[in-house]
Amino acid sequence: MNPDCMREAIRCAHEGIHHGQTPFGACIECNGRIVASAHNLVFAGTDSTAHAEIVAIREAQEKLGRIDLSNCTMYATTEPCPMCFAACHWARISRIIYGTSIEDVRVLGFSEMTLSNISMQKLGGSRMEIVGGYLLEENQALLREWEEMPDRKVY
């Protein structure tokens, strides 16, 4: 696991929240180098599918010129939602490493489904490796910073 990649995802999330977005960031690492990083663009583009993971996957696929990201790792500040998990699966991302859990953001008002990545992995027969709680304190601090913002939005 590469702490620099998770910190890049956290940096992106900070950038996003200071532009009126939600506190989520993602970073994709391939062969030891960062190829894409992003924050949510849901409100910026009026697009409920513009989660950080989806934006980062699109960027990585474009930069690499391929849809198969099987040698890549997704770093996400929060456990990917079911849509983002499925996108990682379809992109053949080898590993997801995340900080806070779906439940952590659900209690903040986000309309998260309670279907965890581990549950989806088992139900779908995915071989993707999943690691949660990575740099947890730094990711929790990000959520606390967002929570203190007076004009924060949830969806």
Side-chain angles (χ1 to χ4, degrees):
M1 292 186 283
N2 185 338
D4 292 338
C5 291
M6 182 58 85
R7 288 188 177 112
E8 173 61 11
I10 293 168
R11 185 199 66 74
C12 286
H14 279 289
E15 181 180 315
I17 64 175
H18 292 292
H19 287 96
Q21 298 299 309
T22 52
F24 307 111
C27 176
I28 297 177
E29 173 190 44
C30 292
N31 298 319
R33 68 183 180 93
I34 293 173
V35 295
S37 59
H39 59 75
N40 272 27
L41 294 172
V42 170
F43 296 115
T46 316
D47 179 358
S48 60
T49 68
H51 292 194
E53 297 92 334
I54 301 292
V55 176
I57 287 170
R58 289 174 180 157
E59 182 182 324
Q61 289 174 332
E62 184 176 331
K63 280 185 180 176
L64 296 172
R66 57 190 167 92
I67 62 168
D68 185 341
L69 302 179
S70 58
N71 62 333
C72 299
T73 299
M74 169 68 73
Y75 288 83
T77 57
T78 292
E79 182 177 4
C81 72
M83 175 185 70
C84 292
F85 178 88
C88 289
H89 172 80
W90 290 321
R92 298 186 180 188
I93 288 175
S94 301
R95 183 167 63 158
I96 294 174
I97 299 172
Y98 66 85
T100 57
S101 71
I102 287 173
E103 189 56 34
D104 292 331
V105 296
R106 192 164 189 257
V107 300
L108 294 176
F110 288 94
S111 58
E112 297 293 333
M113 296 176 142
T114 57
L115 190 57
S116 73
N117 285 197
I118 297 295
S119 296
M120 287 184 286
Q121 178 191 43
K122 289 177 184 173
L123 288 169
S126 174
R127 293 183 216 137
M128 195 177 340
E129 179 185 352
I130 301 168
V131 178
Y134 188 60
L135 298 183
L136 184 59
E137 290 180 15
E138 292 177 46
N139 284 292
Q140 288 171 330
L142 171 68
L143 293 181
R144 283 191 302 274
E145 178 184 336
W146 174 82
E147 196 174 16
E148 293 172 4
M149 297 184 81
D151 57 346
R152 68 184 181 275
K153 300 179 227 171
V154 297
Y155 56 90

